[in-house]
Coordinates of all heavy atoms in Angstrom, one line a residue:
M1 N 208.6 41.0 113.7 CA 209.6 41.2 114.8 C 210.8 40.1 114.6 O 210.5 38.9 114.5 CB 209.0 41.0 116.1 CG 209.7 41.6 117.3 SD 208.8 41.5 118.8 CE 209.2 43.0 119.6
S2 N 212.0 40.6 114.6 CA 213.1 39.7 114.5 C 213.6 39.1 115.8 O 213.2 39.6 116.9 CB 214.3 40.4 113.9 OG 214.9 41.3 114.8
C3 N 214.4 38.0 115.7 CA 214.9 37.4 116.9 C 215.7 38.3 117.7 O 215.6 38.3 119.0 CB 215.7 36.2 116.5 SG 214.8 34.8 115.8
M4 N 216.4 39.2 117.1 CA 217.2 40.2 117.8 C 216.3 41.1 118.6 O 216.6 41.4 119.8 CB 218.0 41.1 116.7 CG 219.3 40.6 116.3 SD 220.5 40.5 117.6 CE 221.2 42.1 117.4
Q5 N 215.2 41.6 118.0 CA 214.3 42.5 118.7 C 213.7 41.7 119.9 O 213.5 42.3 121.0 CB 213.2 43.0 117.8 CG 213.8 44.0 116.8 CD 212.7 44.3 115.7 OE1 212.2 43.4 115.1 NE2 212.5 45.6 115.5
V6 N 213.3 40.5 119.7 CA 212.7 39.7 120.7 C 213.7 39.5 121.9 O 213.4 39.7 123.0 CB 212.2 38.3 120.2 CG1 211.8 37.4 121.3 CG2 211.1 38.5 119.2
A7 N 215.0 39.2 121.5 CA 216.0 39.0 122.6 C 216.1 40.2 123.4 O 216.3 40.1 124.7 CB 217.3 38.7 121.9
R8 N 216.0 41.4 122.8 CA 216.2 42.6 123.6 C 215.1 42.8 124.6 O 215.3 43.4 125.7 CB 216.2 43.8 122.7 CG 217.6 44.0 122.0 CD 217.8 45.4 121.5 NE 218.8 45.4 120.5 CZ 218.6 45.5 119.2 NH1 217.4 45.6 118.8 NH2 219.6 45.4 118.4
V9 N 213.9 42.5 124.3 CA 212.7 42.8 125.1 C 212.2 41.6 125.9 O 211.3 41.7 126.7 CB 211.6 43.4 124.3 CG1 212.0 44.7 123.7 CG2 211.0 42.5 123.3
L10 N 212.8 40.4 125.6 CA 212.2 39.1 126.2 C 212.1 39.2 127.7 O 211.1 38.8 128.3 CB 213.1 37.9 125.8 CG 212.5 36.6 126.1 CD1 211.1 36.4 125.5 CD2 213.4 35.5 125.5
Q11 N 213.2 39.7 128.4 CA 213.2 39.7 129.8 C 212.1 40.7 130.3 O 211.3 40.3 131.3 CB 214.5 40.2 130.3 CG 214.9 39.6 131.7 CD 216.4 39.4 131.9 OE1 217.2 39.8 131.1 NE2 216.7 38.9 133.0
S12 N 212.0 41.8 129.7 CA 210.9 42.8 130.1 C 209.5 42.2 129.9 O 208.6 42.4 130.7 CB 211.1 44.1 129.4 OG 212.4 44.6 129.4
Y13 N 209.4 41.5 128.8 CA 208.1 40.9 128.4 C 207.7 39.9 129.5 O 206.6 39.9 130.0 CB 208.3 40.2 127.1 CG 207.2 39.2 126.8 CD1 205.9 39.6 126.5 CD2 207.5 37.8 126.8 CE1 204.9 38.6 126.3 CE2 206.5 36.9 126.5 CZ 205.2 37.3 126.2 OH 204.2 36.4 126.0
L14 N 208.6 39.1 129.9 CA 208.3 38.0 130.9 C 208.0 38.7 132.3 O 207.3 38.1 133.1 CB 209.4 37.0 131.0 CG 209.6 36.1 129.8 CD1 210.8 35.3 129.9 CD2 208.4 35.3 129.6
D15 N 208.6 39.9 132.5 CA 208.3 40.6 133.7 C 207.1 41.4 133.7 O 206.7 42.1 134.6 CB 209.5 41.5 134.1 CG 210.7 40.8 134.6 OD1 210.6 39.6 135.0 OD2 211.9 41.3 134.5
G16 N 206.4 41.4 132.5 CA 205.2 42.2 132.3 C 205.4 43.6 132.2 O 204.5 44.5 132.5
E17 N 206.6 44.0 131.7 CA 207.0 45.4 131.7 C 206.8 46.0 130.3 O 207.1 47.2 130.1 CB 208.4 45.6 132.2 CG 208.5 45.4 133.7 CD 209.9 45.3 134.1 OE1 210.8 45.3 133.3 OE2 210.1 45.1 135.4
T18 N 206.5 45.2 129.3 CA 206.4 45.8 127.9 C 204.9 46.2 127.7 O 204.0 45.8 128.4 CB 206.7 44.7 126.8 OG1 206.0 43.5 127.1 CG2 208.2 44.4 126.9
D19 N 204.7 47.1 126.7 CA 203.4 47.6 126.4 C 202.6 46.5 125.7 O 203.2 45.5 125.3 CB 203.4 48.9 125.6 CG 204.1 48.7 124.3 OD1 203.6 47.9 123.4 OD2 205.2 49.3 124.1
E20 N 201.3 46.6 125.6 CA 200.5 45.6 125.1 C 200.8 45.1 123.7 O 200.9 43.9 123.4 CB 199.0 46.0 125.2 CG 198.1 44.8 125.4 CD 196.6 45.3 125.4 OE1 196.3 46.2 126.2 OE2 195.9 44.9 124.5
S21 N 201.1 46.1 122.8 CA 201.4 45.7 121.4 C 202.7 44.9 121.3 O 202.8 44.0 120.5 CB 201.4 46.9 120.5 OG 202.5 47.7 120.7
T22 N 203.7 45.4 122.1 CA 205.0 44.6 122.1 C 204.8 43.2 122.6 O 205.3 42.3 122.1 CB 206.0 45.4 122.9 OG1 206.2 46.7 122.4 CG2 207.4 44.7 122.9
A23 N 204.0 43.1 123.7 CA 203.8 41.8 124.3 C 203.1 40.9 123.3 O 203.5 39.7 123.3 CB 202.9 42.0 125.6
R24 N 202.2 41.4 122.6 CA 201.5 40.6 121.6 C 202.5 40.1 120.5 O 202.4 38.9 120.1 CB 200.4 41.4 120.9 CG 199.0 41.0 121.5 CD 197.9 41.4 120.5 NE 197.9 42.8 120.1 CZ 197.3 43.8 120.8 NH1 196.6 43.5 121.8 NH2 197.4 45.0 120.4
R25 N 203.3 41.0 120.0 CA 204.3 40.6 119.0 C 205.3 39.6 119.5 O 205.7 38.7 118.8 CB 205.0 41.9 118.5 CG 204.1 42.6 117.5 CD 204.5 44.1 117.5 NE 205.7 44.3 116.8 CZ 206.5 45.4 117.0 NH1 206.1 46.4 117.8 NH2 207.6 45.6 116.3
V26 N 205.8 39.8 120.7 CA 206.7 38.8 121.3 C 206.0 37.5 121.5 O 206.6 36.4 121.1 CB 207.3 39.3 122.7 CG1 208.1 38.2 123.4 CG2 208.1 40.6 122.5
A27 N 204.8 37.5 122.0 CA 204.1 36.2 122.2 C 203.9 35.5 120.9 O 204.1 34.2 120.9 CB 202.7 36.5 122.8
R28 N 203.6 36.2 119.8 CA 203.4 35.5 118.5 C 204.7 35.0 118.1 O 204.8 33.9 117.5 CB 202.9 36.6 117.5 CG 202.2 35.9 116.4 CD 201.7 36.9 115.4 NE 200.9 38.0 116.0 CZ 200.9 39.3 115.6 NH1 201.7 39.7 114.6 NH2 200.2 40.2 116.2
H29 N 205.8 35.7 118.3 CA 207.1 35.3 117.8 C 207.6 34.0 118.5 O 208.0 33.1 117.9 CB 208.2 36.4 118.0 CG 209.5 36.0 117.4 ND1 210.0 36.4 116.2 CD2 210.5 35.3 118.0 CE1 211.2 35.9 116.0 NE2 211.5 35.2 117.0
V30 N 207.4 34.0 119.9 CA 207.9 32.8 120.6 C 207.1 31.6 120.3 O 207.6 30.5 120.6 CB 208.1 33.1 122.1 CG1 209.1 34.2 122.4 CG2 206.7 33.4 122.8
E31 N 205.9 31.8 119.9 CA 205.1 30.6 119.5 C 205.6 30.0 118.2 O 205.6 28.8 118.0 CB 203.6 31.0 119.3 CG 202.8 30.8 120.5 CD 201.3 31.3 120.3 OE1 200.8 31.0 119.2 OE2 200.8 31.9 121.2
D32 N 206.0 30.9 117.3 CA 206.4 30.4 115.9 C 207.9 30.1 115.9 O 208.3 29.3 115.0 CB 206.2 31.5 114.9 CG 204.7 31.7 114.7 OD1 203.9 30.8 115.1 OD2 204.3 32.8 114.1
C33 N 208.7 30.7 116.7 CA 210.2 30.5 116.6 C 210.6 29.6 117.7 O 210.5 29.9 118.9 CB 210.8 31.9 116.7 SG 212.6 31.8 116.7
R34 N 211.2 28.5 117.3 CA 211.6 27.4 118.2 C 212.7 27.9 119.2 O 212.7 27.7 120.4 CB 212.1 26.2 117.4 CG 211.7 24.9 118.1 CD 212.0 23.8 117.2 NE 212.5 22.6 118.0 CZ 213.7 22.3 118.1 NH1 214.7 23.0 117.5 NH2 214.1 21.3 118.9
R35 N 213.7 28.7 118.6 CA 214.8 29.1 119.4 C 214.3 30.1 120.5 O 214.7 30.0 121.6 CB 215.8 29.8 118.5 CG 217.0 30.3 119.2 CD 218.2 30.7 118.3 NE 217.8 31.7 117.4 CZ 218.7 32.4 116.7 NH1 220.0 32.1 116.7 NH2 218.3 33.3 115.9
C36 N 213.5 31.1 120.1 CA 213.1 32.1 121.0 C 212.1 31.5 122.0 O 212.1 31.9 123.2 CB 212.5 33.3 120.3 SG 213.7 34.2 119.4
G37 N 211.3 30.5 121.6 CA 210.4 29.9 122.5 C 211.1 29.2 123.6 O 210.8 29.2 124.7
L38 N 212.2 28.5 123.2 CA 213.1 27.8 124.1 C 213.7 28.8 125.1 O 213.7 28.5 126.3 CB 214.2 27.0 123.4 CG 215.2 26.3 124.3 CD1 214.5 25.1 125.0 CD2 216.3 25.7 123.4
E39 N 214.1 29.9 124.6 CA 214.8 30.9 125.5 C 213.7 31.5 126.4 O 214.1 31.8 127.6 CB 215.5 32.0 124.7 CG 216.7 31.5 123.9 CD 217.4 30.4 124.6 OE1 217.9 30.6 125.8 OE2 217.6 29.3 124.1
A40 N 212.5 31.7 126.0 CA 211.5 32.2 126.9 C 211.2 31.2 128.0 O 211.1 31.6 129.2 CB 210.2 32.4 126.1
R41 N 211.3 29.9 127.7 CA 211.1 28.9 128.8 C 212.3 29.0 129.7 O 212.1 28.8 130.9 CB 210.9 27.5 128.1 CG 209.5 27.2 127.7 CD 209.3 25.7 127.6 NE 210.1 25.1 126.6 CZ 209.9 25.1 125.3 NH1 208.8 25.8 124.8 NH2 210.7 24.6 124.5
T42 N 213.5 29.1 129.1 CA 214.7 29.2 130.0 C 214.6 30.4 130.9 O 214.9 30.2 132.1 CB 215.9 29.3 129.1 OG1 215.9 28.2 128.2 CG2 217.2 29.2 129.9
F43 N 214.2 31.5 130.4 CA 214.1 32.7 131.3 C 213.1 32.4 132.4 O 213.4 32.8 133.6 CB 213.5 33.9 130.4 CG 214.6 34.8 129.9 CD1 214.6 35.1 128.6 CD2 215.4 35.5 130.8 CE1 215.6 36.0 128.1 CE2 216.4 36.4 130.3 CZ 216.5 36.6 128.9
R44 N 212.0 31.8 132.1 CA 211.0 31.5 133.1 C 211.6 30.5 134.2 O 211.3 30.7 135.3 CB 209.7 30.8 132.5 CG 208.9 31.8 131.8 CD 207.5 31.3 131.6 NE 206.7 32.2 130.7 CZ 206.6 31.9 129.4 NH1 207.0 30.8 128.9 NH2 205.9 32.8 128.6
E45 N 212.3 29.5 133.7 CA 212.9 28.6 134.6 C 213.8 29.3 135.6 O 213.8 29.1 136.8 CB 213.8 27.6 133.8 CG 213.2 26.3 133.5 CD 214.2 25.5 132.6 OE1 215.4 25.4 133.0 OE2 213.8 25.0 131.6
I46 N 214.6 30.2 135.1 CA 215.6 31.0 135.9 C 214.8 31.9 136.9 O 215.1 31.9 138.1 CB 216.5 31.8 135.1 CG1 217.5 30.8 134.3 CG2 217.3 32.8 135.9 CD1 218.4 31.5 133.3
K47 N 213.7 32.5 136.4 CA 212.9 33.4 137.3 C 212.3 32.6 138.4 O 212.2 33.0 139.5 CB 211.9 34.1 136.4 CG 212.4 35.4 135.8 CD 211.4 35.9 134.7 CE 210.1 36.2 135.3 NZ 210.1 37.4 136.1
H48 N 211.8 31.4 138.0 CA 211.1 30.6 139.1 C 212.1 30.1 140.1 O 211.8 30.1 141.3 CB 210.5 29.3 138.4 CG 209.2 29.7 137.7 ND1 208.6 28.9 136.7 CD2 208.4 30.8 137.7 CE1 207.6 29.4 136.2 NE2 207.4 30.6 136.8
S49 N 213.3 29.8 139.7 CA 214.4 29.4 140.6 C 214.7 30.5 141.6 O 214.7 30.3 142.8 CB 215.6 29.0 139.9 OG 215.4 27.9 139.1
L50 N 214.8 31.7 141.0 CA 215.1 32.9 141.9 C 214.0 33.2 142.8 O 214.2 33.5 144.0 CB 215.4 34.1 141.0 CG 216.7 34.0 140.2 CD1 216.8 35.2 139.2 CD2 217.9 33.9 141.0
A51 N 212.7 33.0 142.3 CA 211.6 33.3 143.2 C 211.5 32.3 144.3 O 211.0 32.7 145.4 CB 210.3 33.2 142.3
R52 N 212.0 31.1 144.1 CA 212.0 30.1 145.2 C 213.2 30.2 146.1 O 213.4 29.4 147.0 CB 211.9 28.7 144.6 CG 210.5 28.3 144.0 CD 210.4 26.8 143.8 NE 211.5 26.4 142.9 CZ 211.3 26.2 141.6 NH1 210.2 26.4 141.0 NH2 212.3 25.7 140.8
G53 N 214.1 31.2 145.8 CA 215.3 31.4 146.6 C 216.3 30.4 146.2 O 217.3 30.1 147.0
E54 N 216.2 29.7 145.1 CA 217.2 28.7 144.6 C 218.2 29.4 143.6 O 217.8 30.4 143.0 CB 216.6 27.5 144.0 CG 215.7 26.7 144.9 CD 214.8 25.8 144.1 OE1 214.9 25.7 142.9 OE2 213.9 25.2 144.8
A55 N 219.4 28.8 143.5 CA 220.3 29.3 142.5 C 219.8 28.8 141.2 O 219.4 27.7 141.0 CB 221.7 28.7 142.7
P56 N 219.8 29.7 140.1 CA 219.3 29.2 138.8 C 220.2 28.1 138.3 O 221.4 28.1 138.6 CB 219.4 30.5 137.9 CG 220.2 31.5 138.7 CD 220.2 31.1 140.1
D57 N 219.6 27.2 137.5 CA 220.3 26.1 136.9 C 221.5 26.7 136.0 O 221.2 27.5 135.1 CB 219.3 25.3 136.0 CG 219.9 24.1 135.4 OD1 220.7 23.4 136.1 OD2 219.7 23.9 134.2
A58 N 222.7 26.2 136.3 CA 223.8 26.7 135.6 C 223.7 26.5 134.1 O 224.1 27.3 133.2 CB 225.1 26.1 136.1
E59 N 223.1 25.3 133.7 CA 223.0 25.0 132.3 C 222.0 26.0 131.6 O 222.3 26.4 130.5 CB 222.5 23.6 132.2 CG 222.7 22.9 130.9 CD 222.1 21.5 130.8 OE1 222.5 20.7 131.7 OE2 221.2 21.3 130.0
A60 N 221.0 26.3 132.3 CA 220.0 27.3 131.8 C 220.7 28.6 131.5 O 220.5 29.3 130.5 CB 218.8 27.4 132.7
V61 N 221.5 29.1 132.5 CA 222.1 30.4 132.4 C 223.1 30.3 131.2 O 223.2 31.3 130.4 CB 222.9 30.7 133.7 CG1 223.7 32.0 133.5 CG2 221.9 30.9 134.8
A62 N 223.8 29.2 131.0 CA 224.8 29.1 130.0 C 224.1 29.1 128.6 O 224.6 29.8 127.6 CB 225.6 27.8 130.1
R63 N 222.9 28.5 128.5 CA 222.2 28.4 127.3 C 221.7 29.8 126.9 O 221.8 30.2 125.8 CB 221.0 27.5 127.5 CG 220.5 26.8 126.2 CD 219.1 26.2 126.4 NE 219.0 25.4 127.6 CZ 217.8 25.2 128.2 NH1 216.7 25.7 127.7 NH2 217.7 24.5 129.3
L64 N 221.2 30.6 127.9 CA 220.8 31.9 127.7 C 221.9 32.8 127.2 O 221.7 33.6 126.3 CB 220.2 32.4 129.0 CG 219.1 33.4 129.0 CD1 217.9 32.9 128.1 CD2 218.6 33.7 130.4
R65 N 223.1 32.6 127.7 CA 224.2 33.4 127.3 C 224.6 33.1 125.9 O 224.9 34.0 125.1 CB 225.4 33.2 128.3 CG 226.5 34.2 128.1 CD 227.5 34.0 129.3 NE 226.9 34.3 130.6 CZ 227.2 33.7 131.7 NH1 228.1 32.8 131.7 NH2 226.6 34.0 132.8
S66 N 224.6 31.9 125.5 CA 225.0 31.5 124.1 C 224.0 32.0 123.1 O 224.3 32.4 122.0 CB 225.2 30.0 124.0 OG 224.0 29.3 124.1
Y67 N 222.7 32.0 123.5 CA 221.6 32.5 122.7 C 221.9 34.0 122.4 O 221.8 34.4 121.2 CB 220.3 32.4 123.5 CG 219.1 33.2 123.0 CD1 218.4 32.8 121.8 CD2 218.6 34.2 123.7 CE1 217.3 33.5 121.4 CE2 217.5 34.9 123.3 CZ 216.8 34.5 122.1 OH 215.7 35.2 121.8
G68 N 222.2 34.8 123.4 CA 222.5 36.2 123.2 C 223.7 36.4 122.3 O 223.7 37.3 121.4
D69 N 224.7 35.6 122.5 CA 225.9 35.8 121.7 C 225.7 35.4 120.3 O 226.1 36.1 119.3 CB 227.0 34.8 122.2 CG 227.6 35.3 123.6 OD1 227.3 36.4 124.0 OD2 228.3 34.5 124.2
A70 N 224.9 34.3 120.0 CA 224.6 33.9 118.7 C 223.8 35.0 118.0 O 224.0 35.3 116.8 CB 223.8 32.6 118.7
L71 N 222.9 35.6 118.7 CA 222.0 36.7 118.1 C 222.9 37.9 117.8 O 222.7 38.5 116.7 CB 220.9 37.0 119.0 CG 219.7 36.0 119.0 CD1 218.7 36.5 120.0 CD2 219.1 35.9 117.7
A72 N 223.8 38.2 118.6 CA 224.7 39.4 118.4 C 225.5 39.2 117.2 O 225.6 40.1 116.3 CB 225.6 39.6 119.6
E73 N 226.0 38.0 117.0 CA 226.8 37.7 115.8 C 225.9 37.7 114.5 O 226.3 38.2 113.5 CB 227.5 36.3 115.9 CG 228.8 36.4 116.7 CD 229.3 35.1 117.0 OE1 229.1 34.1 116.3 OE2 230.0 35.0 118.1
G74 N 224.8 37.0 114.6 CA 223.8 37.0 113.5 C 223.4 38.4 113.1 O 223.3 38.7 111.9
G75 N 223.2 39.3 114.1 CA 222.8 40.6 113.8 C 223.9 41.4 113.0 O 223.6 42.2 112.1
K76 N 225.2 41.0 113.2 CA 226.2 41.7 112.5 C 226.3 41.2 111.0 O 226.5 42.0 110.1 CB 227.6 41.3 113.1 CG 228.0 42.4 114.2 CD 229.4 42.0 114.8 CE 229.2 41.8 116.3 NZ 230.1 40.8 116.9
Q77 N 226.0 39.9 110.9 CA 226.1 39.4 109.5 C 224.8 39.7 108.7 O 224.9 39.9 107.5 CB 226.1 37.8 109.6 CG 227.5 37.3 110.0 CD 227.5 35.9 110.6 OE1 226.5 35.3 110.6 NE2 228.6 35.5 111.1
E78 N 223.7 39.9 109.3 CA 222.5 40.2 108.6 C 221.8 41.4 109.2 O 220.8 41.2 109.9 CB 221.5 39.0 108.7 CG 222.1 37.7 108.1 CD 221.1 36.5 108.4 OE1 221.2 35.9 109.5 OE2 220.3 36.3 107.5
P79 N 222.3 42.6 108.9 CA 221.6 43.7 109.5 C 220.2 43.9 109.0 O 219.9 43.7 107.8 CB 222.5 44.9 109.0 CG 223.3 44.4 107.9 CD 223.4 42.9 108.1
G80 N 219.3 44.1 109.9 CA 217.9 44.3 109.6 C 217.1 43.0 109.4 O 216.0 43.0 109.0
A81 N 217.8 41.8 109.6 CA 217.1 40.6 109.4 C 216.1 40.3 110.5 O 216.3 40.7 111.6 CB 218.1 39.4 109.3
Ligands
LIG101 ZN1 213.1 34.0 117.2

């Protein structure tokens, strides 16, 4: 599973909305991939803030946005990577 694929399903995965085989592949990827592991933690941080009725940390939101942008650019340069 590539970082691009993980980025697409990461939010659903953390919400428990992916099927079991997808969840397993994402879990394996975020363990091995430092960047996606960090983003998974960032997603969780934001979800926890929202669950507590707090505004999500602006820095976490910005980090998440730049992750998505970087992956979108990387996907253009390396199709299928
Ligand atoms: Zn990754």
Side-chain angles (χ1 to χ4, degrees):
M1 199 173 217
S2 70
C3 292
M4 275 294 272
Q5 289 171 308
V6 170
R8 279 201 202 101
V9 299
L10 189 56
Q11 208 154 2
S12 310
Y13 162 71
L14 292 172
D15 287 338
E17 288 167 358
T18 52
D19 59 66
E20 209 182 301
S21 70
T22 303
R24 259 202 304 271
R25 283 153 71 201
V26 173
R28 202 181 309 145
H29 184 98
V30 298
E31 264 176 43
D32 292 343
C33 179
R34 218 168 144 262
R35 180 167 62 167
C36 292
L38 178 66
E39 294 324 305
R41 276 202 298 282
T42 304
F43 264 126
R44 283 201 191 98
E45 262 175 49
I46 292 173
K47 276 166 62 69
H48 287 162
S49 297
L50 293 174
R52 286 193 303 261
E54 295 166 4
D57 183 45
E59 201 183 300
V61 174
R63 207 192 314 153
L64 213 52
R65 193 168 298 146
S66 71
Y67 165 73
D69 290 349
L71 284 178
E73 276 169 34
K76 268 180 237 150
Q77 285 158 6
E78 299 175 275

